[in-house]
């Protein structure tokens, strides 16, 4: 299946037709074989995965029911809300630690995001007793595995041709096999502890986390079909691919795009501040830090970012996120041709071949996105386009980009350019040439049709939550490491090039990491009137 004839579809119209042809152009047989190869599933587990994969004998089977349980667990509702709040609370622990230091923290941004998101996402899915939370070496094991995904996909002598990835995958699978062998015990114990802590008024971030509805559903379906604990453990590395592989690089690029453009950063901060609820916790608490002018205690503020308000109140932030996905979502989605199919009454797709839809072509198509389809324009998805007074720049996306103070202000000579093309409308706004209506299938960072990513709501909440909190609480600046172990600020941002490191990743990561200093933002976290306590919620 992975080595036969390949049909490449680049027309948005035909992409939509492919999406409506799920019976003859299914995704399940393709993902079943791909998943078995990537996870190193044993023969018994592969037999379970490949039984009634496409529903030929009715709506049953491991792949079909896992998809159903995943959709239920990750659609908007109580289960998704619980996962998201747990993830955001754990994220707050990492951010609070950085905010405590006046000097901040110097990190490789991609490496730091990998650590934080692997731990926080795993805990939100698998609960407090998950292997990633209890063994710090598990994060490295996962990303060692991720680094050699392409080689592991060959599925021949993996311990020889991809030793680092093979070892990481084996460590991960063994740890989760032990986890699932105790799953019912872990679930009942965590539920009881959580209920007791709620009664006792323990704050959310300190409560015991039970496994999520997603983990419960995966365990239930695997158990129903007689899968061994070892088989369950091996397959779970595939879940982390779905959760982390695209979210980490998306947050990486979105942070760089925002922080490398000072005017864009300022505008997005102004939007996000409209989504923050501020309450006074204890205006006269003697334990609060003293007021320097009057020697009195400062009030303690609780600042809560309302994630559920962002799309309505932050059109530029939302557009920047969407444009980041458009520019950087360059992977290929695929379908298996189950039988000879005449696509759109014209194109014959042969049985047992593969249909590929390249995101890089779809998302850069001038017919859909205009003459500046290769330009990163944070205003592209804002209704009405960019205001004529806005000076935030757009940048081409070929090669490494250098963004400095001149580039940020659109000055001549900078390696950036202003793309306020078109003419002002009656409201005084300049309408981008790409702001016209376009086919829905021309924008598919999460896929489309019946196989659209079921985790897209959780991913968006993670992205909005983490980036929103970073933008509000921290300044980020590029740095160069010095020989004496210190670091100096660089005068300009130099964005790396996207690099495809994995065939299963839609959003390409950077070809190199970027060293940055994360530092508490002036005016926030204790520099305003008193010490601020930060958190984020999805809804009340």
């Amino acid at each position: 299946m992975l080595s036969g004839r390949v049909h490449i579809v680049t027309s948005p119209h035909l992409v939509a037709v492919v999406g409506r042809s799920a019976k003859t152009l299914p995704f399940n047989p393709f993902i079943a074989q791909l998943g078995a190869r990537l996870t190193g599933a044993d023969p018994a587990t592969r037999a379970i995965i490949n039984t009634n994969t496409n529903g030929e004998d009715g709506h049953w089977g491991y792949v079909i029911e896992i998809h159903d349980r995943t959709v239920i667990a990750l659609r908007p509702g109580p289960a998704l809300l619980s996962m998201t709040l747990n993830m955001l609370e754990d994220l707050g622990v990492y951010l609070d630690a950085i905010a405590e230091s006046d000097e901040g923290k110097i990190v490789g941004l991609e490496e730091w995001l990998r650590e934080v998101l692997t731990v926080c996402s795993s805990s939100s899915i698998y609960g407090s007793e998950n292997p990633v939370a209890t063994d710090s070496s598990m994060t490295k094991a996962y990303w060692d595995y991720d680094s050699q995904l392409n080689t592991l996909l060959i599925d021949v002598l993996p311990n020889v041709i991809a030793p680092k990835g093979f070892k990481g995958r084996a460590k991960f699978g063994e740890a989760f096999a032990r986890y699932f062998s105790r799953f019912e015990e872990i679930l009942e114990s965590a539920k009881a502890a959580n209920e007791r802590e709620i009664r006792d008024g323990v704050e959310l971030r300190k409560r015991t986390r039970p496994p999520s509805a997603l983990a419960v559903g995966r365990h239930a379906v695997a158990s129903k079909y007689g899968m061994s604990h070892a088989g369950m453990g091996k397959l779970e590395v595939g879940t982390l691919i779905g959760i982390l592989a695209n979210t980490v690089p998306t947050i990486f690029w979105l942070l760089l795009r925002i922080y490398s453009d000072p005017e864009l950063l300022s505008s997005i901060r102004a939007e996000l501040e409209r989504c923050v609820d501020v309450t006074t916790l204890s205006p006269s608490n003697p334990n609060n830090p003293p007021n320097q002018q009057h020697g009195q205690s400062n009030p303690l503020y609780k600042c809560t970012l309302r994630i559920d308000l962002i799309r309505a109140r932050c059109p530029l932030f939302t557009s920047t996120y969407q444009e980041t996905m458009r520019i950087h979502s360059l992977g290929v989605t695929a379908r298996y041709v189950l039988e000879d199919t005449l696509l759109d009454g014209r194109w014959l797709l042969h049985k047992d071949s593969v249909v590929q839809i390249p995101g890089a072509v779809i998302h850069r198509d001038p017919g859909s996105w205009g003459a500046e389809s290769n330009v990163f324009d944070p205003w592209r998805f804002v209704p009405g386009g960019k205001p004529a007074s806005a000076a935030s720049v757009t940048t081409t996306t070929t090669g490494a980009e250098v963004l400095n103070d001149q580039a940020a202000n659109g000055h001549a000579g900078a390696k950036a350019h202003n793309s306020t093309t078109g003419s002002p409308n009656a409201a005084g706004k300049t309408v981008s040439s790409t702001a016209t209506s376009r086919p829905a299938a021309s924008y598919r960072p999460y896929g489309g049709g019946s196989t659209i990513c079921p985790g897209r709501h959780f991913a968006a909440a993670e992205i909005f939550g983490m980036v929103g909190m970073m933008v509000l609480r921290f300044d980020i600046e590029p740095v160069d490491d010095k020989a004496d172990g210190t670091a100096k600020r660089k005068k300009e941002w130099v964005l790396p090039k996207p690099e495809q490191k994995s065939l299963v990743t839609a959003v390409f990561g950077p070809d190199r990491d970027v060293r940055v200093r994360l530092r508490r933002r002036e005016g926030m976290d204790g520099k305003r009137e008193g010490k601020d306590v930060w958190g984020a919620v999805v809804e009340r």
Side-chain angles (χ1 to χ4, degrees), residues 228-286:
S228 68
H229 294 136
M232 295 181 196
K234 286 184 177 180
L235 291 185
E236 223 48 42
V237 72
T239 302
L240 266 292
I241 292 175
I243 295 294
L244 298 172
N246 294 308
T247 302
V248 170
T250 298
I251 292 177
F252 174 89
W253 292 117
L254 184 53
L255 286 172
L256 289 191
R257 292 290 182 180
I258 293 173
Y259 277 92
S260 62
D261 182 343
E263 292 195 23
L264 179 62
L265 174 62
S266 177
S267 297
I268 289 177
R269 275 178 171 162
E271 286 187 338
L272 284 168
E273 286 172 359
R274 298 198 294 268
C275 301
V276 177
D277 288 345
V278 181
T279 56
T280 304
L281 295 181
S282 49
S284 59
N285 189 329

Side-chain angles (χ1 to χ4, degrees), residues 312-427:
R313 297 186 181 181
C314 305
L316 180 55
F317 181 33
T318 302
S319 176
T320 304
Y321 155 70
Q322 292 173 298
E323 180 73 344
T324 298
M325 295 289 281
R326 184 187 75 85
I327 287 292
H328 292 285
S329 182
L330 306 174
V332 175
T333 55
R335 300 291 181 272
Y336 176 60
V337 183
L338 195 62
E339 59 185 56
D340 285 354
T341 301
L342 193 62
L343 192 65
D344 204 31
R346 180 180 179 187
W347 306 98
L348 178 62
L349 308 180
H350 297 274
K351 180 182 178 180
D352 295 331
S353 61
V354 171
V355 173
Q356 292 187 348
I357 303 171
V361 178
I362 297 295
H363 289 160
R364 304 291 182 89
D365 176 27
S368 298
W369 302 99
E372 296 185 335
S373 59
N374 283 325
V375 171
F376 180 87
D377 181 2
W379 293 88
R380 189 181 299 273
F381 293 89
V382 175
K386 181 192 303 184
S389 60
S392 177
V393 304
T394 58
T395 60
T396 57
T397 59
T398 56
E401 299 170 33
V402 178
L403 297 121
N404 52 27
D405 292 338
Q406 284 188 324
N409 292 296
H411 287 222
K415 193 174 180 180
H417 64 274
N418 196 313
S419 68
T420 52
T421 57
S423 57
N425 59 18

